[in-house]
Amino acid sequence: MNIVTLDHITKSYTGRLLFSDASFYLQEGEKVGIIGINGTGKSTLLRILGGLEEPDAGEVILAKNRTVQLLSQQPEFEPQDTVLQAALRSHTRQSTQEQQALAAQAKTMLTELSVTAYDTPVAELSGGQRKRVALVNVLLHKSDILLLDEPTNHLDVDAKDALKTALQEYRGSILLICHEPEFYQDVVDEIWNMSQW
């Protein structure tokens, strides 16, 4: 079953044509790596799928009652949040027990990614640490589609291994931009080369 379809998409960016009448789809549970030289529109594609940008023509068709989470290259946070608050941002749970369970899960994931100062203001973190917190936030959402833009940037070997395991175990669909073939080849089922579009 197609979980998301891009139907006859055209998109230009700063005067450059990225897509012209392009159509493709992502199936339920499919994991796809996106490659291509800089400037071919990889990040723009994810932003369109994530609802942050509109195509100039064509449409994005998302299957009913499906959710999408986007990890951008430069994640943004509420400046007053601590690490744990940022990891849990936008997660709503009804009971105290559910909130505690989610916080415990977040702490486990943060620790696996070598982030253990849960009460540190996120504004004080390095770029790599911020990326790890954003990864945890995205992975906690249990969405149907994960859109990941260079998730391995700033990650050390152990953190990459932890992320790879999480993505291999992830049940939903994934679109992954990554410049490291040794990382994505064990995660994805298919490669889209946007330099050939």
Side-chain angles (χ1 to χ4, degrees):
M1 171 185 158
N2 292 354
I3 193 167
V4 64
T5 301
L6 269 70
D7 190 31
H8 299 285
I9 294 293
T10 296
K11 180 68 175 179
S12 296
Y13 191 72
T14 62
R16 179 177 179 178
L17 183 65
L18 298 177
F19 319 121
S20 178
D21 199 34
S23 296
F24 53 89
Y25 59 86
L26 183 68
Q27 293 186 331
E28 192 167 12
E30 189 175 20
K31 298 177 180 180
V32 175
I34 302 174
I35 62 173
I37 61 173
N38 289 343
T40 53
K42 302 184 297 295
S43 295
T44 301
L45 174 65
L46 292 197
R47 290 177 62 81
I48 290 172
L49 286 167
L52 299 182
E53 290 194 28
E54 293 288 332
D56 298 331
E59 64 178 330
V60 178
I61 305 166
L62 184 66
K64 188 175 181 181
N65 298 324
R66 300 306 175 112
T67 56
V68 179
Q69 283 294 313
L70 169 65
L71 174 73
S72 64
Q73 284 196 51
Q74 303 294 333
E76 297 180 4
F77 300 95
E78 296 294 332
Q80 74 278 7
D81 279 356
T82 65
V83 164
L84 186 59
Q85 288 170 334
L88 295 172
R89 174 67 64 183
S90 300
H91 292 278
T92 55
R93 292 290 184 271
Q94 298 302 315
S95 72
T96 301
Q97 185 177 5
E98 287 176 318
Q99 292 172 359
Q100 290 173 344
L102 192 65
Q105 186 179 0
K107 288 179 179 179
T108 298
M109 295 172 72
L110 286 164
T111 299
E112 289 174 349
L113 293 172
S114 303
V115 180
T116 55
Y118 310 128
D119 295 326
T120 299
V122 72
E124 296 179 8
L125 300 182
S126 68
Q129 291 170 321
R130 290 165 65 89
K131 192 68 171 272
R132 295 171 198 212
V133 174
L135 270 170
V136 171
N137 180 272
V138 166
L139 292 170
L140 281 174
H141 270 90
K142 309 293 184 190
S143 59
D144 300 295
I145 305 172
L146 273 184
L147 308 173
L148 304 174
D149 195 347
E150 299 289 3
T152 60
N153 281 2
H154 309 293
L155 299 188
D156 59 25
V157 172
D158 290 340
K160 287 178 185 177
D161 287 343
L163 174 60
K164 182 182 288 188
T165 299
L167 295 182
Q168 288 169 333
E169 295 173 352
Y170 183 73
R171 297 277 187 160
S173 302
I174 295 175
L175 278 178
L176 166 67
I177 299 172
C178 182
H179 64 279
E180 301 181 53
E182 65 277 9
F183 178 85
Y184 66 69
Q185 66 187 1
D186 296 326
V187 174
V188 304
D189 311 309
E190 185 179 352
I191 300 291
W192 294 350
N193 187 346
M194 290 185 60
S195 298
Q196 298 174 353
W197 289 14

